[in-house]
Amino acid sequence: MIRLARAPLRSIIRELVPFALALWFLLPAASAHAQGVFVDGAFFASSHWESTVTGLTSGTTSSQDFHRTVGGGGVTIGTWLTPRVTIRLETGWPRSLNGTFVNDASVTLPAGTLIYRTTVESTRSLRTVAPLLAFHTGRRHGVQLGYIGGAAFTWQRERLTAGRYLPVGTSAGLVSGPIEQLVTTETRYAIVPVVGLDADIAVGQHVAVVPLLRALAASDGLNLRSGVAARVRW
């Protein structure tokens, strides 16, 4: 990762300048190539693995691993630098991840056990824009593989709703009600490495079906995207 996930937006923009300059100079230079430009429209399943440590009441913490999968889509535009090398700008827009985390902290009394509960509901969206470079094999039986690498600019918006519950009674007969609720919204920016694989399957002179795979080393875990794109080239 080039920059910590909580880095200011201004610092992230400075990191993106070299990629923007590269695209500015390389795309016009490649426009004269015989294979020209291609555009992809993709649908994918986005699987996210993360290890989360949640701070909870009574000075306790809980560490858990989470795995979620949601659908998403994106658009890519690229061009050929040589017959075997392409450069592209790829976007990804997976659906939001939703989760609920619960912690119980207990206090034992002569009359029974009091249980203090904290519930955190999380809604998280992860968006990406990635300048990528790809090396392609020769086309065999209508199929051409592409090995892809680069960096993704990510922005992640997270909304947390936390409720703390104070018990009334004992473990033999608890009646709990919320005594505090806190809602926070946070946006994080990062630049993370990306690797991937494409399989361009020609179905016409200018059209292809492209199964794809992308792996992103996100700030809080691993994001894996697998799907298929429709490619138009001219």
Side-chain angles (χ1 to χ4, degrees):
M1 184 184 300
I2 298 175
R3 209 47 92 162
L4 291 177
R6 295 176 181 270
L9 178 58
R10 184 176 301 175
S11 299
I12 296 298
I13 292 175
R14 286 200 299 266
E15 298 287 357
L16 285 173
V17 168
F19 297 109
L21 291 176
L23 288 173
W24 179 266
F25 287 107
L26 290 176
L27 287 176
S31 61
H33 193 275
Q35 298 190 61
V37 177
F38 62 90
V39 176
D40 295 350
F43 294 95
F44 56 78
S46 175
S47 298
H48 196 77
W49 287 266
E50 64 177 288
S51 180
T52 301
V53 177
T54 306
L56 302 165
T57 58
S58 302
T60 64
T61 60
S62 176
S63 178
Q64 295 178 322
D65 292 328
F66 297 97
H67 170 212
R68 306 185 189 97
T69 300
V70 295
V75 175
T76 300
I77 182 170
T79 190
W80 295 83
L81 302 180
T82 75
R84 293 292 183 92
V85 179
T86 60
I87 189 170
R88 66 189 69 185
L89 188 66
E90 183 173 281
T91 64
W93 304 87
R95 296 182 61 186
S96 297
L97 296 169
N98 300 311
T100 301
F101 314 95
V102 179
N103 175 76
D104 290 332
S106 61
V107 177
T108 302
L109 300 175
T113 302
L114 295 177
I115 301 175
Y116 297 84
R117 170 166 292 181
T118 297
T119 301
V120 179
E121 296 178 354
S122 170
T123 300
R124 179 184 306 173
S125 59
L126 176 66
R127 311 293 187 237
T128 59
V129 176
L132 302 173
L133 195 67
F135 172 78
H136 299 266
T137 64
R139 189 175 295 276
R140 295 185 178 181
H141 306 291
V143 179
Q144 185 178 38
L145 298 179
Y147 300 93
I148 300 166
F153 170 53
T154 70
W155 64 99
Q156 178 174 287
R157 182 179 176 86
E158 185 172 21
R159 178 183 175 89
L160 297 176
T161 303
R164 294 182 179 179
Y165 296 83
L166 177 66
V168 179
T170 67
S171 57
L174 284 177
V175 178
S176 299
I179 62 170
E180 180 183 11
Q181 188 175 59
L182 177 65
V183 178
T184 61
T185 301
E186 181 180 19
T187 301
R188 304 178 185 180
Y189 304 93
I191 295 179
V192 300
V194 183
V195 294
L197 177 68
D198 277 355
D200 183 305
I201 305 171
V203 295
Q205 184 178 359
H206 300 288
V207 180
V209 175
V210 186
L212 59 88
L213 181 66
R214 301 287 186 270
L216 295 80
S219 60
D220 55 359
L222 175 67
N223 186 258
L224 189 66
R225 298 176 180 179
S226 58
V228 64
R231 173 170 295 172
V232 178
R233 50 177 178 258
W234 58 90

